[in-house]
């Protein structure tokens, strides 16, 4: 979801206090979006037919890059379903 759909003050507040001095400034986002922030397999709901039906647990909702959600989703596949499902996720 493009962040332009949200008020400017919400976007600024979403990053407030999220840059610990130990890691420096966040990198520039090429394609900033509203991201889930914790798109692990248990937080992504899939129907019996394999189609996406929704997400739960929006406690880490933030402005970020879509790759942040894809990275944690891919990582969690190994924990939940065993190794080797990443390419199927990326293809979908």
């Amino acid at each position: 979801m493009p962040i332009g759909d949200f008020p400017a003050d919400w976007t600024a507040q979403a990053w407030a206090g999220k840059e610990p001095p130990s890691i420096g400034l966040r990198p520039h986002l090429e394609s900033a979006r509203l991201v889930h922030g914790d798109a692990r397999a248990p937080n992504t709901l899939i129907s019996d037919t394999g189609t996406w039906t929704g997400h739960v647990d929006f406690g880490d909702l933030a402005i970020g890059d879509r790759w942040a959600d894809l990275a944690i989703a891919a990582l969690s596949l190994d924990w939940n379903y065993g190794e080797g499902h990443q390419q199927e996720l990326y293809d979908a």
Side-chain angles (χ1 to χ4, degrees), residues 29-63:
L29 299 175
E30 292 296 324
S31 181
R33 297 283 185 253
L34 182 67
V35 296
H36 185 276
D38 190 17
R40 297 176 296 127
N43 292 333
T44 303
L45 306 179
I46 306 293
S47 73
D48 290 340
T49 63
T51 58
W52 174 85
T53 60
H55 279 97
V56 297
D57 187 8
F58 289 96
D60 292 324
L61 196 67
I63 302 301

mmCIF file of all heavy atoms in Angstrom, residues 29-63:
data_model
loop_
_atom_site.group_PDB
_atom_site.id
_atom_site.type_symbol
_atom_site.label_atom_id
_atom_site.label_comp_id
_atom_site.label_asym_id
_atom_site.label_seq_id
_atom_site.Cartn_x
_atom_site.Cartn_y
_atom_site.Cartn_z
ATOM 1 N N LEU A 29 14.785 4.453 1.233
ATOM 2 C CA LEU A 29 13.862 3.471 0.692
ATOM 3 C C LEU A 29 13.531 3.841 -0.749
ATOM 4 O O LEU A 29 13.032 4.922 -1.014
ATOM 5 C CB LEU A 29 12.577 3.425 1.517
ATOM 6 C CG LEU A 29 12.730 3.038 2.977
ATOM 7 C CD1 LEU A 29 11.395 3.161 3.693
ATOM 8 C CD2 LEU A 29 13.282 1.639 3.098
ATOM 9 N N GLU A 30 13.814 2.942 -1.663
ATOM 10 C CA GLU A 30 13.516 3.180 -3.069
ATOM 11 C C GLU A 30 12.020 3.198 -3.324
ATOM 12 O O GLU A 30 11.526 3.926 -4.156
ATOM 13 C CB GLU A 30 14.172 2.096 -3.932
ATOM 14 C CG GLU A 30 15.682 2.152 -3.944
ATOM 15 C CD GLU A 30 16.225 3.417 -4.566
ATOM 16 O OE1 GLU A 30 15.622 3.921 -5.537
ATOM 17 O OE2 GLU A 30 17.252 3.916 -4.063
ATOM 18 N N SER A 31 11.292 2.370 -2.620
ATOM 19 C CA SER A 31 9.860 2.234 -2.848
ATOM 20 C C SER A 31 9.161 2.071 -1.500
ATOM 21 O O SER A 31 8.757 0.972 -1.126
ATOM 22 C CB SER A 31 9.596 1.019 -3.751
ATOM 23 O OG SER A 31 8.227 0.889 -4.010
ATOM 24 N N ALA A 32 9.056 3.149 -0.756
ATOM 25 C CA ALA A 32 8.475 3.100 0.578
ATOM 26 C C ALA A 32 7.008 2.691 0.506
ATOM 27 O O ALA A 32 6.244 3.179 -0.325
ATOM 28 C CB ALA A 32 8.611 4.451 1.274
ATOM 29 N N ARG A 33 6.634 1.775 1.372
ATOM 30 C CA ARG A 33 5.280 1.241 1.443
ATOM 31 C C ARG A 33 4.898 1.017 2.902
ATOM 32 O O ARG A 33 5.744 0.944 3.767
ATOM 33 C CB ARG A 33 5.182 -0.113 0.724
ATOM 34 C CG ARG A 33 5.458 -0.063 -0.756
ATOM 35 C CD ARG A 33 4.236 0.515 -1.462
ATOM 36 N NE ARG A 33 4.393 0.477 -2.903
ATOM 37 C CZ ARG A 33 4.621 1.552 -3.651
ATOM 38 N NH1 ARG A 33 4.755 2.715 -3.087
ATOM 39 N NH2 ARG A 33 4.704 1.461 -4.956
ATOM 40 N N LEU A 34 3.625 0.856 3.135
ATOM 41 C CA LEU A 34 3.162 0.394 4.431
ATOM 42 C C LEU A 34 3.432 -1.103 4.467
ATOM 43 O O LEU A 34 2.995 -1.838 3.585
ATOM 44 C CB LEU A 34 1.666 0.662 4.594
ATOM 45 C CG LEU A 34 1.072 0.277 5.930
ATOM 46 C CD1 LEU A 34 1.637 1.158 7.045
ATOM 47 C CD2 LEU A 34 -0.443 0.390 5.885
ATOM 48 N N VAL A 35 4.213 -1.553 5.438
ATOM 49 C CA VAL A 35 4.567 -2.963 5.528
ATOM 50 C C VAL A 35 4.046 -3.556 6.834
ATOM 51 O O VAL A 35 3.873 -2.851 7.823
ATOM 52 C CB VAL A 35 6.097 -3.192 5.410
ATOM 53 C CG1 VAL A 35 6.586 -2.754 4.033
ATOM 54 C CG2 VAL A 35 6.856 -2.465 6.490
ATOM 55 N N HIS A 36 3.818 -4.846 6.816
ATOM 56 C CA HIS A 36 3.312 -5.563 7.987
ATOM 57 C C HIS A 36 4.328 -5.528 9.124
ATOM 58 O O HIS A 36 3.984 -5.329 10.272
ATOM 59 C CB HIS A 36 2.981 -7.007 7.600
ATOM 60 C CG HIS A 36 2.350 -7.789 8.704
ATOM 61 N ND1 HIS A 36 3.096 -8.417 9.679
ATOM 62 C CD2 HIS A 36 1.048 -8.036 8.992
ATOM 63 C CE1 HIS A 36 2.276 -9.024 10.520
ATOM 64 N NE2 HIS A 36 1.026 -8.813 10.125
ATOM 65 N N GLY A 37 5.583 -5.767 8.811
ATOM 66 C CA GLY A 37 6.639 -5.738 9.815
ATOM 67 C C GLY A 37 6.934 -7.067 10.482
ATOM 68 O O GLY A 37 7.976 -7.248 11.092
ATOM 69 N N ASP A 38 6.018 -8.010 10.383
ATOM 70 C CA ASP A 38 6.220 -9.339 10.962
ATOM 71 C C ASP A 38 5.422 -10.360 10.147
ATOM 72 O O ASP A 38 4.589 -11.091 10.660
ATOM 73 C CB ASP A 38 5.780 -9.362 12.424
ATOM 74 C CG ASP A 38 6.195 -10.640 13.152
ATOM 75 O OD1 ASP A 38 7.086 -11.359 12.654
ATOM 76 O OD2 ASP A 38 5.625 -10.923 14.218
ATOM 77 N N ALA A 39 5.699 -10.397 8.847
ATOM 78 C CA ALA A 39 4.923 -11.218 7.911
ATOM 79 C C ALA A 39 5.356 -12.684 7.936
ATOM 80 O O ALA A 39 5.570 -13.300 6.906
ATOM 81 C CB ALA A 39 5.029 -10.645 6.506
ATOM 82 N N ARG A 40 5.516 -13.228 9.135
ATOM 83 C CA ARG A 40 5.864 -14.651 9.271
ATOM 84 C C ARG A 40 4.669 -15.513 8.885
ATOM 85 O O ARG A 40 3.538 -15.043 8.843
ATOM 86 C CB ARG A 40 6.264 -14.963 10.714
ATOM 87 C CG ARG A 40 7.498 -14.221 11.167
ATOM 88 C CD ARG A 40 7.826 -14.472 12.625
ATOM 89 N NE ARG A 40 6.767 -13.954 13.490
ATOM 90 C CZ ARG A 40 6.151 -14.683 14.427
ATOM 91 N NH1 ARG A 40 6.481 -15.944 14.643
ATOM 92 N NH2 ARG A 40 5.211 -14.148 15.163
ATOM 93 N N ALA A 41 4.944 -16.773 8.620
ATOM 94 C CA ALA A 41 3.894 -17.700 8.205
ATOM 95 C C ALA A 41 2.697 -17.705 9.169
ATOM 96 O O ALA A 41 1.553 -17.673 8.699
ATOM 97 C CB ALA A 41 4.471 -19.103 8.024
ATOM 98 N N PRO A 42 2.892 -17.723 10.495
ATOM 99 C CA PRO A 42 1.711 -17.751 11.374
ATOM 100 C C PRO A 42 0.853 -16.483 11.288
ATOM 101 O O PRO A 42 -0.312 -16.514 11.662
ATOM 102 C CB PRO A 42 2.302 -17.892 12.769
ATOM 103 C CG PRO A 42 3.649 -18.473 12.567
ATOM 104 C CD PRO A 42 4.132 -17.906 11.253
ATOM 105 N N ASN A 43 1.401 -15.389 10.808
ATOM 106 C CA ASN A 43 0.648 -14.142 10.712
ATOM 107 C C ASN A 43 0.018 -13.940 9.335
ATOM 108 O O ASN A 43 -0.642 -12.934 9.101
ATOM 109 C CB ASN A 43 1.544 -12.944 11.037
ATOM 110 C CG ASN A 43 1.952 -12.933 12.485
ATOM 111 O OD1 ASN A 43 1.252 -13.456 13.340
ATOM 112 N ND2 ASN A 43 3.089 -12.347 12.782
ATOM 113 N N THR A 44 0.251 -14.859 8.424
ATOM 114 C CA THR A 44 -0.318 -14.808 7.085
ATOM 115 C C THR A 44 -1.324 -15.947 6.963
ATOM 116 O O THR A 44 -0.973 -17.108 7.145
ATOM 117 C CB THR A 44 0.790 -14.962 6.021
ATOM 118 O OG1 THR A 44 1.759 -13.930 6.226
ATOM 119 C CG2 THR A 44 0.223 -14.855 4.627
ATOM 120 N N LEU A 45 -2.550 -15.612 6.692
ATOM 121 C CA LEU A 45 -3.617 -16.610 6.650
ATOM 122 C C LEU A 45 -3.825 -17.106 5.217
ATOM 123 O O LEU A 45 -4.014 -16.309 4.300
ATOM 124 C CB LEU A 45 -4.915 -16.019 7.194
ATOM 125 C CG LEU A 45 -4.815 -15.397 8.589
ATOM 126 C CD1 LEU A 45 -6.154 -14.813 9.014
ATOM 127 C CD2 LEU A 45 -4.319 -16.414 9.609
ATOM 128 N N ILE A 46 -3.790 -18.416 5.060
ATOM 129 C CA ILE A 46 -3.940 -19.067 3.763
ATOM 130 C C ILE A 46 -5.129 -20.017 3.840
ATOM 131 O O ILE A 46 -5.284 -20.764 4.802
ATOM 132 C CB ILE A 46 -2.655 -19.859 3.395
ATOM 133 C CG1 ILE A 46 -1.422 -18.964 3.461
ATOM 134 C CG2 ILE A 46 -2.792 -20.538 2.048
ATOM 135 C CD1 ILE A 46 -1.367 -17.876 2.431
ATOM 136 N N SER A 47 -5.957 -20.023 2.795
ATOM 137 C CA SER A 47 -7.126 -20.918 2.774
ATOM 138 C C SER A 47 -6.706 -22.351 2.475
ATOM 139 O O SER A 47 -5.557 -22.614 2.114
ATOM 140 C CB SER A 47 -8.124 -20.449 1.712
ATOM 141 O OG SER A 47 -7.617 -20.748 0.417
ATOM 142 N N ASP A 48 -7.648 -23.264 2.578
ATOM 143 C CA ASP A 48 -7.391 -24.670 2.264
ATOM 144 C C ASP A 48 -6.990 -24.866 0.807
ATOM 145 O O ASP A 48 -6.342 -25.850 0.462
ATOM 146 C CB ASP A 48 -8.623 -25.527 2.570
ATOM 147 C CG ASP A 48 -8.879 -25.660 4.064
ATOM 148 O OD1 ASP A 48 -7.931 -25.435 4.855
ATOM 149 O OD2 ASP A 48 -10.016 -25.981 4.435
ATOM 150 N N THR A 49 -7.375 -23.915 -0.045
ATOM 151 C CA THR A 49 -7.018 -24.019 -1.465
ATOM 152 C C THR A 49 -5.682 -23.357 -1.780
ATOM 153 O O THR A 49 -5.254 -23.350 -2.926
ATOM 154 C CB THR A 49 -8.102 -23.390 -2.356
ATOM 155 O OG1 THR A 49 -8.196 -21.992 -2.050
ATOM 156 C CG2 THR A 49 -9.441 -24.077 -2.152
ATOM 157 N N GLY A 50 -5.040 -22.775 -0.762
ATOM 158 C CA GLY A 50 -3.729 -22.172 -0.948
ATOM 159 C C GLY A 50 -3.740 -20.705 -1.316
ATOM 160 O O GLY A 50 -2.698 -20.133 -1.623
ATOM 161 N N THR A 51 -4.889 -20.055 -1.275
ATOM 162 C CA THR A 51 -4.947 -18.632 -1.589
ATOM 163 C C THR A 51 -4.852 -17.798 -0.311
ATOM 164 O O THR A 51 -5.299 -18.213 0.753
ATOM 165 C CB THR A 51 -6.251 -18.272 -2.336
ATOM 166 O OG1 THR A 51 -7.359 -18.652 -1.531
ATOM 167 C CG2 THR A 51 -6.328 -18.982 -3.682
ATOM 168 N N TRP A 52 -4.251 -16.615 -0.457
ATOM 169 C CA TRP A 52 -4.117 -15.699 0.669
ATOM 170 C C TRP A 52 -5.492 -15.205 1.082
ATOM 171 O O TRP A 52 -6.320 -14.870 0.252
ATOM 172 C CB TRP A 52 -3.232 -14.524 0.252
ATOM 173 C CG TRP A 52 -3.142 -13.442 1.268
ATOM 174 C CD1 TRP A 52 -2.302 -13.384 2.332
ATOM 175 C CD2 TRP A 52 -3.911 -12.237 1.316
ATOM 176 N NE1 TRP A 52 -2.506 -12.229 3.045
ATOM 177 C CE2 TRP A 52 -3.501 -11.509 2.435
ATOM 178 C CE3 TRP A 52 -4.932 -11.717 0.531
ATOM 179 C CZ2 TRP A 52 -4.041 -10.287 2.784
ATOM 180 C CZ3 TRP A 52 -5.483 -10.491 0.886
ATOM 181 C CH2 TRP A 52 -5.034 -9.791 2.003
ATOM 182 N N THR A 53 -5.735 -15.170 2.399
ATOM 183 C CA THR A 53 -7.013 -14.655 2.894
ATOM 184 C C THR A 53 -6.850 -13.452 3.818
ATOM 185 O O THR A 53 -7.808 -12.737 4.046
ATOM 186 C CB THR A 53 -7.807 -15.746 3.634
ATOM 187 O OG1 THR A 53 -7.050 -16.213 4.747
ATOM 188 C CG2 THR A 53 -8.140 -16.896 2.706
ATOM 189 N N GLY A 54 -5.664 -13.236 4.360
ATOM 190 C CA GLY A 54 -5.481 -12.081 5.223
ATOM 191 C C GLY A 54 -4.235 -12.159 6.064
ATOM 192 O O GLY A 54 -3.458 -13.107 5.977
ATOM 193 N N HIS A 55 -4.046 -11.122 6.889
ATOM 194 C CA HIS A 55 -2.943 -11.053 7.835
ATOM 195 C C HIS A 55 -3.503 -10.749 9.223
ATOM 196 O O HIS A 55 -4.571 -10.148 9.352
ATOM 197 C CB HIS A 55 -1.955 -9.935 7.471
ATOM 198 C CG HIS A 55 -0.998 -10.306 6.411
ATOM 199 N ND1 HIS A 55 -1.183 -9.972 5.094
ATOM 200 C CD2 HIS A 55 0.161 -10.990 6.464
ATOM 201 C CE1 HIS A 55 -0.175 -10.432 4.379
ATOM 202 N NE2 HIS A 55 0.654 -11.045 5.184
ATOM 203 N N VAL A 56 -2.768 -11.139 10.245
ATOM 204 C CA VAL A 56 -3.093 -10.802 11.630
ATOM 205 C C VAL A 56 -1.843 -10.236 12.289
ATOM 206 O O VAL A 56 -0.750 -10.311 11.732
ATOM 207 C CB VAL A 56 -3.602 -12.034 12.424
ATOM 208 C CG1 VAL A 56 -4.905 -12.546 11.828
ATOM 209 C CG2 VAL A 56 -2.571 -13.138 12.465
ATOM 210 N N ASP A 57 -1.983 -9.702 13.495
ATOM 211 C CA ASP A 57 -0.874 -9.190 14.307
ATOM 212 C C ASP A 57 -0.180 -8.019 13.627
ATOM 213 O O ASP A 57 0.912 -8.134 13.091
ATOM 214 C CB ASP A 57 0.129 -10.297 14.623
ATOM 215 C CG ASP A 57 1.203 -9.841 15.613
ATOM 216 O OD1 ASP A 57 1.072 -8.724 16.168
ATOM 217 O OD2 ASP A 57 2.171 -10.578 15.811
ATOM 218 N N PHE A 58 -0.830 -6.859 13.661
ATOM 219 C CA PHE A 58 -0.284 -5.669 13.020
ATOM 220 C C PHE A 58 0.505 -4.779 13.980
ATOM 221 O O PHE A 58 0.641 -3.583 13.745
ATOM 222 C CB PHE A 58 -1.419 -4.862 12.373
ATOM 223 C CG PHE A 58 -1.998 -5.541 11.162
ATOM 224 C CD1 PHE A 58 -3.132 -6.322 11.268
ATOM 225 C CD2 PHE A 58 -1.385 -5.402 9.930
ATOM 226 C CE1 PHE A 58 -3.659 -6.952 10.150
ATOM 227 C CE2 PHE A 58 -1.903 -6.031 8.803
ATOM 228 C CZ PHE A 58 -3.047 -6.801 8.921
ATOM 229 N N GLY A 59 1.062 -5.353 15.034
ATOM 230 C CA GLY A 59 1.802 -4.570 16.016
ATOM 231 C C GLY A 59 3.077 -3.938 15.491
ATOM 232 O O GLY A 59 3.575 -2.977 16.069
ATOM 233 N N ASP A 60 3.633 -4.445 14.389
ATOM 234 C CA ASP A 60 4.860 -3.893 13.816
ATOM 235 C C ASP A 60 4.610 -3.155 12.509
ATOM 236 O O ASP A 60 5.533 -2.931 11.736
ATOM 237 C CB ASP A 60 5.882 -5.016 13.580
ATOM 238 C CG ASP A 60 6.388 -5.605 14.881
ATOM 239 O OD1 ASP A 60 6.542 -4.839 15.854
ATOM 240 O OD2 ASP A 60 6.627 -6.824 14.930
ATOM 241 N N LEU A 61 3.379 -2.754 12.245
ATOM 242 C CA LEU A 61 3.033 -2.022 11.041
ATOM 243 C C LEU A 61 3.892 -0.770 10.951
ATOM 244 O O LEU A 61 4.031 -0.028 11.928
ATOM 245 C CB LEU A 61 1.548 -1.646 11.103
ATOM 246 C CG LEU A 61 0.871 -1.217 9.824
ATOM 247 C CD1 LEU A 61 0.778 -2.382 8.847
ATOM 248 C CD2 LEU A 61 -0.530 -0.696 10.132
ATOM 249 N N ALA A 62 4.511 -0.536 9.796
ATOM 250 C CA ALA A 62 5.425 0.601 9.658
ATOM 251 C C ALA A 62 5.611 0.954 8.193
ATOM 252 O O ALA A 62 5.130 0.268 7.303
ATOM 253 C CB ALA A 62 6.778 0.250 10.272
ATOM 254 N N ILE A 63 6.348 2.014 7.976
ATOM 255 C CA ILE A 63 6.758 2.390 6.631
ATOM 256 C C ILE A 63 8.073 1.672 6.360
ATOM 257 O O ILE A 63 8.987 1.697 7.176
ATOM 258 C CB ILE A 63 6.964 3.915 6.515
ATOM 259 C CG1 ILE A 63 5.680 4.660 6.894
ATOM 260 C CG2 ILE A 63 7.427 4.278 5.114
ATOM 261 C CD1 ILE A 63 4.474 4.321 6.062
#
